[in-house]
Every structure is written in C-alpha cells, then in structure tokens.
Amino acid sequence: MRVNRILLPAVLVVLALVIQVSVLARLHLPGAVPDLLMLVVLGLAMTYGHVAGCLIGFFAGLLADLAPPADHAAGRYALVLCVIGYLAGLAKPENGQLRSAALPMTVVAGAAVLSTLLYASVGALVGDTAARHVGIVSLLFTALVYDLLLAPFTVPWIMALARRLDRDPMAADSGAAGGSPYRWMSPGNARSGSRLTRIRPGGQRDSLLKGGRKL
C-alpha cells in the first residue's frame, strides 16, 4: 500500500539515524563508521525499485546532513545516498523474491565502496580534506568490512518487512474477481497449475484442462 511506502521508510530511517549517531558513532571503531542508514536505504531500494530508492536515499541523506553532530555541508550525504538508492533499486528482483544472499551482499559491498568514494570526492570539491588525513584506503577497507558484517542482520529483515507491508490482499481479490462473474484459481504453484477450477456465482465448480476439455 502507498501509505506503508511512506510510513515504513520514515520510521526505519529515523530509527537507523538515531542508532548510528548515538551508538555506532560512539564505538570509536578504527576507520569508518558502520553505515546503518545506508543499509536501510539499500534494503528499501531493492524492494521498492530505483525511483523509490532514489527518493528515500535523498531524504535519508538530507536528514543525516541536518542532524547533529553533522559537521559537513548540507546536501553532501543526500547526494551520495540518492545515487546509491537509485543504483541499488536497479538490482530489484523482478518477482520481488531473492533466491540467495549473493545479490544483496554484492550490492552492499559495492555500495560501501562507492558511497565512501563519492563522499570523499564531494568533500574534496568543497574543501573537506578529512578523508586524506584518515586515508582513503583505510576508509574503504573498514567501511566494506563493517557494512558486510552488519548487512545480514539488517537488509534481509528490512526487505521482508517491506514486502509484507506492501501487499494489498483486498486489491488482489478485487482484481481477480472484477470484470467477470468467474474467478480463476490455480490449486498449486504456477508450475503445477495445469488444472484450473472455475467457480460459478452459485457455488458450482467446473474443472477444466489447459486444452479446454472438460473433465
């Protein structure tokens, strides 16, 4: 449902930002800070698609730019997460279901490296040389390790929650029943549904084969 596509990202983004600022940033880990906010954007983008991923990434990044103790130019992280959300949305499975963990982990690894490079590049354009003092190689390595370690505990759960709340059973039922007095159902999955059952308004059932022969 459209409302869930607004409420769920808003709640998850705010929650991730609070945890990242109040917990993860205070761990003082060497190198980069685990980017929980980016993982939330990745999970939602791979569920909703590239357009929603771009928008969610922009507003999540803008919120991070404005939230204290941000010490960089506003819009910098918004640009980074906007690009990351768009690219991650392109990897959305056609049927919405993931068959293995290879795809999301690959997306997380690429996003960790690309976001670090984009953030450092934009910072260099506006005169922020903090990445040079820390070392870009160290930032890339630690960002990759931290995000990959955190991804299995966040991305699959976010995608599962988003898919669950995005379903609209009423719309599915009305779409199946609308336009015809009959409803067509398959008694199994798509591969085993060679036999179809036609339900008439009075409740009588007719069983048909694919070739059109009545049983």
Side-chain angles (χ1 to χ4, degrees), residues 18-94:
V18 171
I19 294 176
Q20 183 164 321
V21 172
S22 60
V23 178
L24 298 179
R26 296 178 182 272
L27 295 177
H28 301 292
L29 297 173
V33 176
D35 201 340
L36 180 60
L37 188 62
M38 184 190 71
L39 295 178
V40 169
V41 172
L42 293 179
L44 294 173
M46 285 188 287
T47 304
Y48 295 148
H50 60 283
V51 175
C54 178
L55 295 175
I56 294 172
F58 175 79
F59 287 107
L62 185 61
L63 184 61
D65 288 332
L66 300 177
D71 57 353
H72 54 269
R76 179 177 171 185
Y77 199 47
L79 174 62
V80 172
L81 286 188
C82 180
V83 175
I84 294 297
Y86 178 83
L87 295 178
L90 296 177
K92 174 189 174 183
E94 293 183 1

Side-chain angles (χ1 to χ4, degrees), residues 29 34 39 105 108 142-154:
L29 297 173
L39 295 178
M105 294 302 286
V108 169
T142 53
L144 180 62
V145 172
Y146 296 154
D147 292 341
L148 285 178
L149 290 176
L150 194 59
F153 304 99
T154 54

Side-chain angles (χ1 to χ4, degrees), residues 167-191:
R167 294 175 182 173
D168 192 352
M170 297 301 295
D173 292 342
S174 63
S180 172
Y182 300 102
R183 285 186 302 172
W184 295 89
M185 301 186 305
S186 174
N189 55 29
R191 295 183 179 180

